Amino acid sequence: MHSAATLSPQPHRACGACGATGYTVSHHQRFIVPDGYPLASEYNVAVCRRCGFVYADPAATQRDYDRFYCEWSKYDDSATATGSGISPYDAARLSTTASDIARALPSRAASILDAGCATGGLLTALRDQGFTAVAGLDPSPRSAAACRERGFEAYVGSISAASAPAHLPKFDCVVFSHVLEHIYDIPAFFTAARRLLAPGGYLYLETPDASRYDDYLYAPFQEFNTEHINHFSARALENTGRRFGFQPTVVQQKTIQTAEDTLYPAVFGLFRDNGGRADEHMVVCDQELPSRIAAYIRHSTEQMERINHHLANQLANTRRVVLWGAGQFAMKLLALPCLAQVEVRAVVDNNPILRGKMLAGAHIIGPEELGQQEIADASMPVIIATLLHNNEIGTQIRRLGLRNPVLSLLQNSHEVAHSTVDSAVDSEGRRS
Ligand SMILES: [Zn+2]
């Protein structure tokens, strides 16, 4: 958790936004990852010295990420994945995206491809806006089938050369919503995206807004995970588009609702393909993003230290624990000093993809297995490895009839900076 700014000796990749290779290290992030995990267990968080873009610099290749999303991703479970447009807040989010696209495109006859369409929530919202030629692309055959059931053309695959479907037509607009923050090889991404576009076509790009991570700090270092490796601001998104010959026509911040009680900062832009003529002279250094990220790192570090301190006190006479959760936060929690001294007897997770895998020397099991097997007696404490859903999990543990003591990560929930929609709004008001 050291966050002293140092110069990087050997970058693994160049800045995605401007192509420069010189960066300052703002943070070093460590994870304890499951055995066989395709992604790196540590990386520098880099600040580009030329343009101010912030990005993770793991030793990896795009293929590692392709393999991860193919074999380890939870997103092909359409029942739990977002983007289905089922919940009212999700439908509202997708409707806003559709009207933003409608404002920028000259005609409702424009053909639109949603790359990463899930079960067709955005396609439906676009059809509601009057667009008649919308289609979806998704790596999950189940998602593509769900789109077809809703009356849309849908293709199985992704835009990467290895898994792009044959005979994909060209589109007037291609939508990549919450894709770009996951991409390791950004130049290859734009080359592939351009192949899908008709001449003069538009890209709709939406990502988390890194300039406001600190205003929505639900869990420390939440955005520095193994999947989000590019941290865009509006300016960084503009720089990135221009670098690859896409002229920004509109770039805006937005705040989206991602769960019943969770708001999330995002930024989107519509970019017109100018034939690939990069505009290197248009790189505008983002002065704000590095300092906003520094504040996010500072506040996350403070919160992580409080968690370590609080857990260490509770674990003083404990040698074996059960960890509830094998997700991104668990991978950071396991790297804390307080957990280095205890044996993790089992890791419980609801995600079926993780079952049977090993994490920190323990088997990952389903919730119902914990009581059945001779894994943990009732005296063994359970650490709930999430700050967002700990009440629900506490309830689930009792409903399963488990009597194990449950350890909290923090003294009280108010220590979580912004834990609900209401408090996020309050805090924004206070800070501004
Ligand atoms: Zn840069």
Side-chain angles (χ1 to χ4, degrees), residues 309-322:
H309 181 75
H310 187 60
L311 269 184
N313 284 342
Q314 297 173 90
L315 292 171
N317 299 307
T318 303
R319 290 173 53 203
R320 303 200 294 182
V321 297
V322 171

Side-chain angles (χ1 to χ4, degrees), residues 15 17-20 48 50-53:
C15 169
C18 80
C48 175
R50 182 178 180 215
C51 77
F53 182 51

Side-chain angles (χ1 to χ4, degrees), residues 98-271:
S99 57
D100 288 333
I101 292 170
R103 272 192 291 139
L105 289 192
S107 157
R108 292 295 191 275
S111 58
I112 304 176
L113 179 74
D114 182 14
C117 60
T119 55
L122 180 61
L123 299 179
T124 304
L126 287 165
R127 184 163 61 189
D128 292 346
Q129 286 285 334
F131 287 103
T132 51
V134 294
L137 171 68
D138 202 279
S140 160
R142 279 202 298 157
S143 291
C147 292
R148 285 188 209 109
E149 270 167 40
R150 293 166 95 162
F152 300 107
E153 187 79 61
Y155 306 91
V156 178
S158 75
I159 66 153
S160 75
S163 53
H167 316 301
L168 207 58
K170 297 202 184 286
F171 294 87
D172 298 314
C173 177
V174 181
V175 176
F176 293 98
S177 185
H178 297 267
V179 172
L180 202 49
E181 66 271 27
H182 299 262
I183 302 292
Y184 191 82
D185 188 342
I186 287 182
F189 167 86
F190 278 93
T191 301
R194 174 165 282 119
R195 260 189 251 124
L196 297 173
L197 280 181
Y202 289 81
L203 283 185
Y204 174 94
L205 302 173
E206 181 176 319
T207 77
D209 179 5
S211 73
R212 290 181 293 150
Y213 286 169
D214 193 43
D215 298 333
Y216 298 87
L217 205 167
Y218 298 103
F221 297 113
Q222 178 174 266
E223 299 306 319
F224 294 168
N225 53 56
T226 60
E227 300 181 28
H228 288 188
I229 51 173
N230 304 306
H231 304 288
F232 292 94
S233 61
R235 179 143 286 167
L237 198 56
E238 285 175 10
N239 282 334
T240 307
R242 286 203 185 95
R243 178 185 172 204
F244 297 103
F246 289 92
Q247 182 62 33
T249 59
V250 56
V251 176
Q252 272 178 25
Q253 295 177 317
K254 67 198 288 195
T255 303
I256 57 180
Q257 192 171 345
T258 53
E260 202 63 64
D261 58 355
T262 310
L263 293 175
Y264 192 70
V267 59
F268 74 93
L270 272 137
F271 297 80

